[in-house]
Amino acid sequence: MEESECRSAEKKVVAVVGGGLVGALNACFFAKRGFKVEVFESREDIRKAKIVRGRSINLALSHRGRQALKHVGMEEKIISKGIPMNARMIHSLTGKQSPIPYGKKGQYILSVDRANLNKELLSEADTYSNTKLNFDHKLQDWNAETGLMTFVRPDQSQVHIKADLIVGCDGAFSATRKRFLRRTRFNYSQTYIPHGYKELTMPPINGEFAMKPNYLHIWPRNTFMMIALPNLDRTFTCTLFMPFDEFEKITTDDEVMRFFQKYFPDAIPLIGVDALKRDYFKLPAQAMVSVKCSPYHIDDKCVLMGDAAHAVVPFYGQGMNAGFEDCIVFDEMMDQFNEDFSAVLPEYSRVRVPDDHAIADLAMYNYIEMRAHVNSKWFLFRKHVDNFLHFLMPKTIIPLYTMVTFTRTRYHKAVERWHWQNKVINHSLLLSALGAVVGSSYLLIKNPPSINRVIIPAEKMWTRLVALRTLRTS
């Protein structure tokens, strides 16, 4: 960036609302460009807190998120504290374990701890002299015309700040987004799925992981499932996803045990009977929400990113990765339009909305795949076919999971390509099957089997058996 541009950037104030994962990373992106950055977080500083409030579902870091971290020099630090997962490990009812690789050899996703990642990003943002972190500041209101913002502190005192750009990264229940809802032509939908989740901990056994650590373990049971991700302390975080009405049927210790003995018998000794009874009732089942909206901006004053723009259910492991990619896409557009907010913000909405809506839909689909399709022989066969064709034609046939997880192919383009590939492959398989049937029928008609060819060997076999029995009895 030219010196004159640097001076221009330094005069502008960017207010990042939300000090979570996307907000903290965004602060690094804007600070790196020379803007004066103010981060406002409603919670206390989690780096000093004894108990960290908020969601705790483990995170799966993949290519999109890593690219964003790399851009601010954080990739190596974060991956050094993650655990590679090379494949899904499917647990059957009998306890049999079967791996399904995620991609080619060497491709993996990383199990990372949410709280630790958030702390690292906040600390990185704190290293920039032009960044200020403000904790215990809850957004009360803001003005789209003037950029004037009002925050409330725990003692009910108010703090006012004027910003050139407001970046809403304050989660699925975004206070920033409330101002958008007052405007015309703003589309918004919020959907709670009928399934909730509970978390359990699988402790180490003799100081080591209770199961193979380099896998995302899945117990698919068609209408529900349990997954387990490894942690650095050699525990596994197990998450049970199930319809709320099924959770409500389990009210006693005995019912918990009967349920696990029926559906997850191999997990009981690994979690521990006492721990299972205790932890299952620690918290009620938690809800999961999917949020879609458009556009993501108001004029040149405010833009939404992360869950504030597109909260997704966790089944594709792309919520954080999509939020991190928001940061890098916005940054790329800042280069493209020379940091002109009036050009960057509408283009960001135009480009990003279809992608984020696509990953929201894919996340819903992947829940069905994880809990049910992985039990299907056809699904496993198609996986092998897709991987084989990808090996033969790596640029023509690319599995959906590979496009989503190991590339930065735009989400909606990945979906379009997936539908096209499915159509081509399914038609090819159907034609191959018809060809085999027609070919076999033609050969049978041209070369009908001879009765003699069948009878004579049978007669010879019978003669040999009679002779053998005679020898044994003599």
Side-chain angles (χ1 to χ4, degrees), residues 267-452:
I268 295 174
L270 303 180
I271 297 173
V273 173
D274 292 338
L276 181 55
K277 291 177 180 177
R278 179 187 67 244
D279 293 348
Y280 187 89
F281 294 107
K282 263 187 182 177
L283 293 170
Q286 303 296 298
M288 290 173 284
V289 68
S290 180
V291 169
K292 289 181 180 179
C293 67
S294 68
Y296 290 163
H297 74 288
I298 294 179
D299 302 326
D300 61 349
K301 287 294 182 186
C302 182
V303 64
L304 302 174
M305 296 194 199
D307 284 357
H310 50 81
V312 301
V313 292
F315 305 114
Y316 221 115
Q318 284 295 303
M320 171 189 66
N321 291 289
F324 281 5
E325 192 177 46
D326 288 347
C327 302
I328 199 169
V329 168
F330 192 87
D331 191 71
E332 288 165 352
M333 289 178 179
M334 291 282 275
D335 284 335
Q336 183 182 348
F337 295 102
N338 199 29
E339 298 183 353
D340 178 2
F341 294 154
S342 64
V344 172
L345 270 62
E347 180 66 6
Y348 174 78
S349 279
R350 186 190 71 79
V351 168
R352 201 64 182 148
V353 166
D355 289 332
D356 292 331
H357 286 190
I359 193 57
D361 294 336
L362 277 178
M364 292 285 199
Y365 159 79
N366 210 49
Y367 183 32
I368 301 169
E369 178 173 304
M370 291 175 74
R371 75 182 194 227
H373 290 177
V374 293
N375 289 324
S376 160
K377 289 182 180 178
W378 171 253
F379 172 82
L380 296 174
F381 169 71
R382 274 302 311 271
K383 276 279 185 188
H384 289 305
V385 169
D386 290 355
N387 290 335
F388 178 68
L389 292 175
H390 180 50
F391 174 76
L392 292 179
M393 302 174 285
K395 292 183 179 179
T396 305
I397 301 296
I398 307 173
L400 174 65
Y401 195 89
T402 297
M403 287 189 281
V404 170
T405 308
F406 301 117
T407 77
R408 277 195 60 204
T409 303
R410 291 184 63 185
Y411 287 123
H412 87 279
K413 292 290 185 184
V415 172
E416 288 173 0
R417 184 171 185 148
W418 172 50
H419 289 315
W420 172 81
Q421 288 178 173
N422 268 348
K423 191 180 293 185
V424 170
I425 294 170
N426 286 339
H427 284 176
S428 300
L429 289 172
L430 180 60
L431 288 173
S432 298
L434 285 172
V437 170
V438 171
S440 300
S441 301
Y442 176 79
L443 289 173
L444 284 170
I445 292 168
K446 282 289 185 181
N447 303 287
S450 169
I451 295 175
N452 290 335

Side-chain angles (χ1 to χ4, degrees), residues 11-118:
K11 294 176 184 176
K12 291 185 177 179
V13 176
V14 175
V16 178
V17 184
L21 298 173
V22 176
L25 179 61
N26 247 324
C28 297
F29 270 90
F30 283 106
K32 195 171 177 222
R33 284 187 170 273
F35 292 96
K36 181 181 178 183
V37 182
E38 295 257 9
V39 179
F40 296 92
E41 168 57 47
S42 61
R43 300 174 297 173
E44 63 183 314
D45 188 343
I46 63 169
R47 296 170 298 174
K48 301 173 184 176
K50 292 181 180 178
I51 299 174
V52 179
R53 294 180 290 114
R55 293 175 63 191
S56 55
I57 294 177
N58 278 51
L59 299 170
L61 177 66
S62 55
H63 179 75
R64 296 170 198 267
R66 288 179 63 163
Q67 289 299 299
L69 291 170
K70 183 179 181 179
H71 197 81
V72 295
M74 289 290 289
E75 183 186 18
E76 291 305 317
K77 179 182 277 191
I78 299 306
I79 65 173
S80 68
K81 295 181 180 179
I83 299 176
M85 298 183 292
N86 304 300
R88 295 168 173 171
M89 183 65 82
I90 308 303
H91 293 245
S92 72
L93 271 171
T94 62
K96 180 185 176 185
Q97 298 183 25
S98 308
I100 302 177
Y102 280 123
K104 294 183 290 188
K105 188 175 181 181
Q107 289 182 326
Y108 59 87
I109 58 177
L110 276 165
S111 174
V112 295
D113 178 80
R114 179 187 294 271
N116 180 67
L117 176 56
N118 203 167

Side-chain angles (χ1 to χ4, degrees), residues 19-285:
L21 298 173
V22 176
L25 179 61
N26 247 324
C28 297
F29 270 90
F30 283 106
K32 195 171 177 222
R33 284 187 170 273
F35 292 96
K36 181 181 178 183
V37 182
E38 295 257 9
V39 179
F40 296 92
E41 168 57 47
S42 61
R43 300 174 297 173
E44 63 183 314
D45 188 343
I46 63 169
R47 296 170 298 174
K48 301 173 184 176
K50 292 181 180 178
I51 299 174
V52 179
R53 294 180 290 114
R55 293 175 63 191
S56 55
I57 294 177
N58 278 51
L59 299 170
L61 177 66
S62 55
H63 179 75
R64 296 170 198 267
R66 288 179 63 163
Q67 289 299 299
L69 291 170
K70 183 179 181 179
H71 197 81
V72 295
M74 289 290 289
E75 183 186 18
E76 291 305 317
K77 179 182 277 191
I78 299 306
I79 65 173
S80 68
K81 295 181 180 179
I83 299 176
M85 298 183 292
N86 304 300
R88 295 168 173 171
M89 183 65 82
I90 308 303
H91 293 245
S92 72
L93 271 171
T94 62
K96 180 185 176 185
Q97 298 183 25
S98 308
I100 302 177
Y102 280 123
K104 294 183 290 188
K105 188 175 181 181
Q107 289 182 326
Y108 59 87
I109 58 177
L110 276 165
S111 174
V112 295
D113 178 80
R114 179 187 294 271
N116 180 67
L117 176 56
N118 203 167
K119 290 173 185 177
E120 293 281 6
L121 289 172
L122 285 170
S123 294
E124 180 66 17
D126 226 355
T127 63
Y128 291 90
S129 60
N130 50 328
T131 297
K132 182 183 177 185
L133 304 181
N134 304 277
F135 298 98
D136 292 314
H137 281 63
K138 187 174 182 178
L139 180 64
Q140 187 177 59
D141 202 1
W142 61 277
N143 187 294
E145 283 70 43
T146 64
L148 184 65
M149 310 175 75
T150 302
F151 295 89
V152 178
R153 290 181 52 81
D155 61 4
Q156 299 306 306
S157 62
Q158 291 187 339
V159 175
H160 303 280
I161 181 175
K162 192 173 182 180
D164 296 286
L165 177 65
I166 299 166
V167 186
C169 304
D170 47 343
F173 306 103
S174 169
T176 313
R177 195 178 58 226
K178 286 180 181 178
R179 170 64 66 173
F180 283 66
L181 295 170
R182 302 177 201 171
R183 299 175 69 89
T184 60
R185 299 172 64 194
F186 177 68
N187 300 305
Y188 173 78
S189 68
Q190 172 182 296
T191 306
Y192 279 97
I193 65 171
H195 295 239
Y197 71 90
K198 281 179 180 277
E199 290 191 334
L200 306 163
T201 300
M202 187 179 290
I205 294 178
N206 299 322
E208 295 299 327
F209 284 103
M211 302 183 295
K212 294 178 181 178
N214 297 115
Y215 295 91
L216 192 159
H217 292 262
I218 306 176
W219 290 257
R221 298 301 180 257
N222 294 319
T223 57
F224 57 90
M225 70 173 181
M226 185 168 74
I227 66 171
L229 275 73
N231 301 307
L232 282 179
D233 62 1
R234 291 182 168 77
T235 63
F236 278 92
T237 299
C238 304
T239 309
L240 173 61
F241 297 98
M242 194 162 66
F244 277 102
D245 55 4
E246 294 296 326
F247 277 119
E248 289 161 6
K249 292 176 185 177
I250 302 171
T251 58
T252 68
D253 290 353
D254 289 342
E255 287 170 343
V256 171
M257 294 312 300
R258 281 197 295 272
F259 175 76
F260 269 77
Q261 283 162 0
K262 183 176 181 179
Y263 294 109
F264 313 111
D266 61 325
I268 295 174
L270 303 180
I271 297 173
V273 173
D274 292 338
L276 181 55
K277 291 177 180 177
R278 179 187 67 244
D279 293 348
Y280 187 89
F281 294 107
K282 263 187 182 177
L283 293 170

